[in-house]
Amino acid sequence: MPFLVLLAAVFLLGVADAMVNSYIVLFGADVVGLTPLQIGVWSSVFAIGGITIGWWLGRRFDRRPTRAYAIAVILLGAAGYTVLPRVTAFFVLLLMAATVLGATGAAFPQVFALARAVLGEGATGQRSAPLLRAGWSLAWAVGPLLGALVLSRGGYSGLMWTAAGVFLVTALTLVAVPRPGAVRAAESSGPGGTPVLLTAGVTLFFAAMFAGGLAIPLYVTRALHQSTGTVGVIISAGAAVEVVATLGLAALPDRVSQRALILGGFGAMAAYYALMLVPTGTVALVAVQALRGVAIAIVGAAGLRYFQDLLAPATGRATTLFANAATTGLLVSGFLSGVTIEHFGYRATLAVCAVVAGLGGVAFTLGSHSSASGERGGVLLR
């Protein structure tokens, strides 16, 4: 069954991605000896490489849908992480980040574009997106733990080589996915071209999400004087809720407005940061993570489907645009959290994250207003 093969590929890709990205910063600092500035530059080049390669392949996918692009970038990542433990020159690390390592950033949108092309744009294809996204969320709940286990036994070399092996298995799994059929020529997204406000809204959402992810461990341990174990518990709680909520999206009836649902996700993220400012103890900290998990599930899964419906049949472009918006949010988050923590403290940073999430919701509202009652590619955007 194509869906099960795709689900396996998404899960494996997520596990490999989580294994390396959970510890790549520590590898750069502890093994290579990079300074914080060099790590920041390396991370930025990594993200920019993924955005650039993803954008290029997304447009090529729309002209000629194929499994080859996803397989190629995953194999490049496998090769890159096989070599990475032996690299110590900063220039070489930058070159790899812009090419073979950055290519893995294009794997997510390519796999999800492939899924849409193979499963179709009907009800089956649309309902599969939340289930596949749940596989990705589950992988990110498992991957860091698996990475920690491998790291404790085999060090960073073992970690990178294990992740490379998982990338290789992912590529082999994609070979079993049926070839996507021919699609009608991708149309323009309308007079406005690229949905700028929608993309800005998603970028702001993920900027708030990632910035908070950097600030909260420090806030919980230093401002609230909780243990590091509490940080692990609240992260796991949020991940668990995210998986369940993503699965729940697939069960929602078609009459539920995707637009309203996504806006609810923006609101949940803003409310999460607001409530984190008034905790009453460990139980409250854990409980409020439900809002974060629901928010990420909704915007991550329903938002991706919304972009695909809006820009249909340009599946590759739509999926890449959404993924690149998330990556851009990651780039913005480092500056956002760094500046606000340094100059205003942890609570102010969480307040800023709440405002940024709210502004993202405003941008998405304005951007989706003109398409709320329109029809694109035969799919009604409600």
Side-chain angles (χ1 to χ4, degrees):
M1 182 180 179
F3 171 76
L4 293 180
V5 178
L6 285 162
L7 180 60
V10 168
F11 177 76
L12 289 169
L13 178 63
V15 168
D17 188 67
M19 286 179 67
V20 294
N21 284 315
S22 296
Y23 304 99
I24 194 72
V25 170
L26 294 177
F27 167 78
D30 297 342
V31 177
V32 185
L34 300 181
T35 67
L37 177 59
Q38 287 176 320
I39 291 174
V41 172
W42 188 34
S43 299
S44 297
V45 172
F46 191 110
I48 292 170
I51 290 173
T52 304
I53 296 170
W55 174 83
W56 178 61
L57 290 181
R59 291 182 175 273
R60 291 183 65 86
F61 184 92
D62 289 334
R63 291 195 292 269
R64 181 177 173 271
T66 177
R67 303 167 300 183
Y69 301 140
I71 293 172
V73 294
I74 292 171
L75 288 177
L76 284 173
Y81 284 110
T82 300
V83 175
L84 185 60
R86 301 300 185 217
V87 177
T88 57
F90 183 55
F91 175 77
V92 177
L93 288 174
L94 291 180
L95 183 61
M96 292 179 66
T99 54
V100 291
L101 300 184
T104 60
F108 178 92
Q110 279 296 310
V111 171
F112 274 79
L114 177 63
R116 180 80 171 211
V118 170
L119 300 176
E121 297 180 1
T124 300
Q126 292 176 18
R127 287 190 179 277
S128 67
L131 296 175
L132 293 175
R133 187 61 175 75
W136 180 267
S137 299
L138 180 61
W140 262 90
V142 172
L145 300 177
L146 179 59
L149 177 62
V150 175
L151 187 61
S152 67
R153 302 290 180 87
Y156 285 104
S157 294
L159 176 66
M160 300 302 172
W161 292 339
T162 301
V166 178
F167 276 123
L168 178 60
V169 174
T170 305
L172 293 175
T173 302
L174 287 174
V175 174
V177 176
R179 289 186 176 89
V183 297
R184 67 186 188 274
E187 303 166 1
S188 167
S189 59
T194 299
V196 176
L197 285 175
L198 292 177
T199 306
V202 171
T203 298
L204 289 171
F205 175 89
F206 282 104
M209 185 194 84
F210 288 123
L214 294 172
I216 283 174
L218 298 173
Y219 170 67
V220 170
T221 56
R222 298 183 182 181
L224 302 182
H225 308 293
Q226 298 279 342
S227 68
T228 55
T230 300
V231 175
V233 170
I234 65 176
I235 291 175
S236 296
V241 172
E242 182 184 341
V243 173
V244 174
T246 306
L247 290 172
L249 290 175
L252 290 177
D254 290 338
R255 64 176 178 273
V256 174
S257 169
Q258 295 298 303
R259 177 173 179 264
L261 190 66
I262 296 167
L263 291 176
F266 280 93
M269 183 60 80
Y272 162 70
Y273 284 120
L275 290 176
M276 282 292 289
L277 294 173
V278 287
T280 58
T282 302
V283 174
L285 286 173
V286 173
V288 78
Q289 301 309 308
L291 283 172
R292 184 177 189 272
V294 168
I296 296 172
I298 291 175
V299 177
L304 174 59
R305 171 182 168 179
Y306 193 92
F307 270 60
Q308 289 178 332
D309 290 346
L310 179 66
L311 299 179
T315 302
R317 178 177 171 233
T319 309
T320 302
L321 185 63
F322 184 87
N324 284 352
T327 305
T328 303
L330 175 60
L331 283 172
V332 172
S333 69
F335 175 79
L336 176 66
S337 60
V339 170
T340 52
I341 290 174
E342 179 71 21
H343 295 285
F344 304 106
Y346 304 117
R347 285 186 169 83
T349 301
L350 297 184
V352 169
C353 288
V355 172
V356 171
L359 290 175
V362 171
F364 196 93
T365 300
L366 296 175
S368 61
H369 179 73
S370 60
S371 62
S373 60
E375 188 173 351
R376 303 289 308 170
V379 180
L380 183 65
L381 298 175
R382 302 177 305 283

